[in-house]
Amino acid sequence: MAEATAQAQHLDGPEAADILERCRALVDPAMRAAVDTLPPSMRRVARYHFGWEHADGSPAEGNAGKAIRPALVLTAAAALGGPEARERAVRAAAAVELIHNFTLLHDDVMDRDVTRRHRPTAWTVFGTSDAILAGDALQALALRLLAEDPHPASAQAAVRLADCVIELCAGQHADTAMETRHPGEVSLDEVLTMAEAKTGALLGCACALGALYAGADQEDVEALDAFGREAGLAFQLIDDVIGIWGDPQRTGKPAGADLTARKKSLPVVAALTSGTPAAVELAELYTRPGADDDQESVERMALVVERAGGRDWAQVQAADRMARAMQELSRAVPEPEAADGLLALAEFVTRRSN
């Protein structure tokens, strides 16, 4: 464990960025080919969402995201089966990224988010119905990619990915249901379970699919799934911190957007359940309509969350989850050199500060 941790500490952003760039180059053609099979009405929404086109259909050099999840598929396959396994897992990686973007399209509608990747969200441009239908189509494309894949692991991968989608939906349902509950009624355990379903499940599935395509045994598949889940929970903890304290110029979203939406994110619930005077103040602030917020009130809520210990708790928890992730990874990939890529990606997603 100490050796794996030391190995992780020397990995920096550029190495992870190189992995992401190489994986994006491998996966993008498969994704574009899949999206191009959609009917025009859904294809235009999908291509806009991915940053490949402007709203008028003209070509764009937009930001299609970091491609962390397909990179996990390909890097896990390489860690357990070498470069050939990575090449054979491209369709599976594309399927995972399509599922991720299906959830983003739907999440933006449900959360009423108006910006993503520094430009208007698809539903604000094309309407709610078209955005939802495009998301549905991306989910179908993902499963079709696996159904048509001749790789012997594709059927098992399809079942695993379908189960993951069900878990994602359950997590999203729990998240949505929490929005209507009183701030004092939500426990940390509930929010952690919800976050694992919403975020950890797909990162775990991505790693597990990579292991399946490498021909790994079930024990290693499950260990990599657990690695991805723990890293995913660390990712969500950091993402929730960014959702409150992130720089809008770098996140592409308004400052304190999660507070304005009254989201019961992990730092917020940690603050609400802290038993401090600041927790009482935050609960009172959270019962007020978000529509009444101005910049000063948002900044006040962020300060109250911090005073109640929400920010510190989230950062400590993120570090703890990463330590657990490293333990799971060392079970499946005991050789540090083989684990380098997965370690770099895990460090990359949890070292973000904006």
Side-chain angles (χ1 to χ4, degrees):
M1 173 60 193
E3 184 179 5
T5 302
Q7 186 76 13
Q9 288 172 345
H10 87 272
L11 296 168
D12 54 21
E15 179 170 343
D18 289 344
I19 294 170
L20 292 169
E21 185 177 352
R22 291 195 299 269
C23 290
R24 172 63 79 189
L26 285 171
V27 172
D28 258 9
M31 289 178 55
R32 286 176 180 267
V35 168
D36 283 348
T37 68
L38 292 175
S41 60
M42 287 174 280
R43 184 169 66 233
R44 65 172 188 153
V45 180
R47 291 183 67 83
Y48 171 84
H49 169 77
F50 281 115
W52 302 336
E53 288 183 357
H54 297 295
D56 62 4
S58 59
E61 296 290 337
N63 176 12
K66 296 182 178 67
I68 291 165
R69 290 154 191 83
L72 285 171
V73 176
L74 298 181
T75 308
L80 290 171
E84 290 185 1
R86 179 177 56 216
E87 298 294 331
R88 293 194 299 268
V90 168
R91 282 194 183 189
V96 168
E97 184 70 344
L98 288 168
I99 289 294
H100 174 54
N101 281 277
F102 137 69
T103 68
L104 295 183
L105 281 162
H106 284 200
D107 283 357
D108 285 343
V109 171
M110 285 183 276
D111 296 341
R112 311 314 285 175
D113 285 337
V114 297
T115 59
R116 178 173 294 281
R117 299 165 184 160
H118 304 279
R119 65 177 188 162
T121 46
W123 73 269
T124 66
V125 175
F126 300 100
T128 298
S129 296
D130 281 3
I132 291 172
L133 291 169
D136 292 341
L138 293 187
Q139 180 186 180
L141 285 181
L143 295 176
R144 191 177 75 187
L145 276 177
L146 293 177
E148 293 176 345
D149 193 347
H151 193 286
S154 62
Q156 191 176 353
V159 171
R160 198 171 193 107
L161 188 58
D163 286 343
C164 178
V165 170
I166 294 170
E167 187 175 357
L168 288 169
C169 291
Q172 180 64 25
H173 179 270
D175 189 23
T176 304
M178 284 178 190
E179 292 179 11
T180 62
R181 292 166 60 185
H182 188 275
E185 296 177 351
V186 179
S187 71
L188 260 181
D189 283 345
E190 282 182 282
V191 184
L192 284 166
T193 299
M194 177 272 293
E196 180 178 342
K198 275 193 65 175
T199 305
L202 189 55
L203 271 74
C205 183
C207 295
L209 261 59
L212 285 172
Y213 270 68
D217 60 32
Q218 195 62 29
E219 185 177 350
D220 287 344
V221 171
E222 296 306 328
L224 278 187
D225 185 277
F227 160 74
R229 284 175 178 269
E230 294 291 355
L233 197 45
F235 173 95
Q236 188 60 58
L237 285 154
I238 297 300
D239 198 60
D240 283 356
V241 169
I242 293 169
I244 299 174
W245 294 281
D247 178 0
Q249 295 298 317
R250 307 185 73 174
T251 64
K253 292 188 176 184
D258 286 359
L259 296 175
T260 301
R262 298 297 188 266
K263 288 185 72 68
K264 295 179 179 69
S265 63
L266 288 158
V268 166
V269 176
L272 286 168
T273 57
S274 65
T276 63
V280 177
E281 182 180 358
L282 180 62
E284 194 276 328
L285 291 170
Y286 246 54
T287 59
R288 300 177 184 176
D292 296 340
D293 288 346
D294 55 21
Q295 187 59 36
E296 183 178 351
S297 61
V298 171
E299 290 174 357
R300 178 175 179 78
M301 277 190 287
L303 181 60
V304 172
V305 174
E306 192 158 6
R307 285 177 177 168
R311 186 174 191 170
D312 287 343
W313 176 88
Q315 290 171 333
V316 169
Q317 277 289 311
D320 178 65
R321 295 294 175 166
M322 272 300 295
R324 298 187 196 186
M326 299 307 175
Q327 288 179 325
E328 296 293 348
L329 180 59
S330 66
R331 285 174 50 203
V333 192
E335 293 296 327
E337 284 189 11
D340 267 1
L342 289 170
L343 288 170
L345 291 173
E347 288 287 302
F348 175 80
V349 300
T350 55
R351 283 184 177 180
R352 297 177 310 150
S353 58
N354 53 70

